[in-house]
Amino acid sequence: MLRFYYVIFISLPFIIYYLLMAEYYVKHRDKYDQEQCYDLAQRLIKRFKKNARIRTVSYGEDRLPAEGGYIMYSNHQGRYDALGIISVHEKPCSVVMDEERSHVILAEQFVNLLEGIRMSKTDIKQQIRASMDIRRAVEKGKRYIYFPEGKYERNGNKLQDFKPGAFKCAKQAKAPIVPVAIYDSHMVFDVNSLRKVTTQVYFLEPIYYEEYVDKNTLEISQMVRGRIEEGLKALDEKRKNMKLNYHFYH
């Protein structure tokens, strides 16, 4: 957490500025469209990465569906995960976030700016409503980041169990599923160091509705988890084969 407190301390004026800007954009949706809101979010993340000494490299952007909505399902390692994906995802996208975590300062303004979906861990009715909201938005062309593990507990680059219910909205929307493997994202805040850190984002081959139409959500979750696991292995090999130390670089 040292990096988190450090970047908050040195970036306080800029954070206040962007929080006020985000609030203004949200209150004036008639003036600022989805692209402009996303641009503001990316500018905020870019400044955060620079001040926090974070570098994120990505692969597979050319695999992303060119048109229409889709849902990116990613492994979950920590607080930086969604920021890392958004920083390298060119087109506007949003995030599905735990209801409780979404109401802390910074997270709340960020979710509001991107019109993210809040998902309760305990309220079944709210989960159903949120899933329907995702389905309707994706049908209209929106893109989301969803973490089907539901939580992170210092799991590093190891996968946890996926929640099959997370895939209901994709199946209902008949939307492409894009597995995303993130690697070393946990290093951003789990290590008490201010040395530079590199994370990786790997957009894997999309899974279109025709490929999973006959599968139930448990089978879909297992398929997506398997592909992300293979993606993590590939990223591990990339790190081993590179000259630079991917955890920290000088």
Side-chain angles (χ1 to χ4, degrees):
M1 292 298 291
L2 178 61
R3 190 184 309 273
F4 179 77
Y5 294 123
Y6 168 78
V7 75
I8 293 295
F9 176 74
I10 69 166
S11 308
L12 193 57
F14 130 80
I15 289 173
I16 293 173
Y17 168 77
Y18 273 102
L19 285 181
L20 292 175
M21 287 289 290
E23 292 280 3
Y24 184 80
Y25 274 40
V26 170
K27 289 179 180 178
H28 298 85
R29 291 282 183 191
D30 56 323
K31 294 172 59 177
Y32 301 99
D33 60 20
Q34 185 182 30
E35 284 74 18
Q36 289 170 305
C37 289
Y38 193 69
D39 177 69
L40 179 64
Q42 285 194 315
R43 282 188 280 136
L44 188 156
I45 295 170
K46 183 178 180 180
R47 178 62 67 89
F48 173 83
K49 286 168 61 179
K50 180 179 180 180
N51 290 355
R53 298 162 63 84
I54 303 166
R55 176 185 178 219
T56 297
V57 294
S58 60
Y59 316 93
E61 292 94 332
D62 57 325
R63 294 191 176 108
L64 294 171
E67 301 294 336
Y70 52 83
I71 303 178
M72 292 173 277
Y73 287 94
S74 170
N75 56 314
H76 206 6
Q77 298 188 359
R79 296 178 178 178
Y80 179 71
D81 299 350
L83 303 183
I85 295 171
I86 290 170
S87 73
V88 296
H89 189 276
E90 182 180 349
K91 293 182 179 179
C93 67
S94 192
V95 64
V96 180
M97 190 171 184
D98 171 44
E99 172 81 32
E100 184 176 349
R101 289 181 182 273
S102 73
H103 290 297
V104 300
I105 192 168
L106 294 180
E108 180 163 14
Q109 287 76 18
F110 195 79
V111 172
N112 290 343
L113 180 65
L114 297 182
E115 295 183 297
I117 300 292
R118 293 174 166 86
M119 184 78 71
S120 172
K121 289 184 176 180
T122 57
D123 188 336
I124 302 298
K125 290 183 179 180
Q126 192 279 339
Q127 292 175 11
I128 295 172
R129 290 194 300 270
S131 184
M132 292 175 64
D133 288 342
I134 298 169
R135 185 203 74 198
R136 285 192 287 262
V138 171
E139 288 174 341
K140 293 178 180 179
K142 195 158 185 178
R143 310 164 193 91
Y144 284 97
I145 302 166
Y146 204 138
F147 299 104
E149 289 168 312
K151 60 181 179 179
Y152 53 87
E153 292 183 347
R154 293 188 176 272
N155 48 295
N157 291 315
K158 296 186 181 297
L159 285 177
Q160 304 174 89
D161 291 334
F162 280 18
K163 299 182 184 300
F167 297 87
K168 287 182 180 179
C169 51
K171 190 166 186 180
Q172 291 169 347
K174 301 179 181 180
I177 290 171
V178 180
V180 180
I182 56 174
Y183 194 90
D184 281 352
S185 187
H186 65 99
M187 299 295 293
V188 173
F189 295 129
D190 281 2
V191 176
N192 282 322
S193 172
L194 297 179
R195 296 176 70 183
K196 294 178 181 179
V197 60
T198 296
T199 75
Q200 299 183 78
V201 176
Y202 190 7
F203 299 103
L204 300 163
E205 201 68 43
I207 305 170
Y208 290 92
Y209 181 67
E210 294 75 18
E211 188 175 347
Y212 68 82
V213 60
D214 295 325
K215 298 182 183 295
N216 59 40
T217 53
L218 176 59
E219 292 170 328
I220 297 170
S221 71
Q222 291 171 340
M223 177 170 59
V224 174
R225 189 180 187 279
R227 296 195 184 189
I228 292 176
E229 191 164 28
E230 289 301 313
L232 289 174
K233 291 178 182 177
L235 293 178
D236 188 51
E237 287 301 314
K238 283 181 181 292
R239 188 181 70 182
K240 289 177 181 178
N241 293 333
M242 293 185 72
K243 292 181 180 179
L244 93 95
N245 180 321
Y246 240 100
H247 279 166
F248 298 116
Y249 65 97
H250 299 279

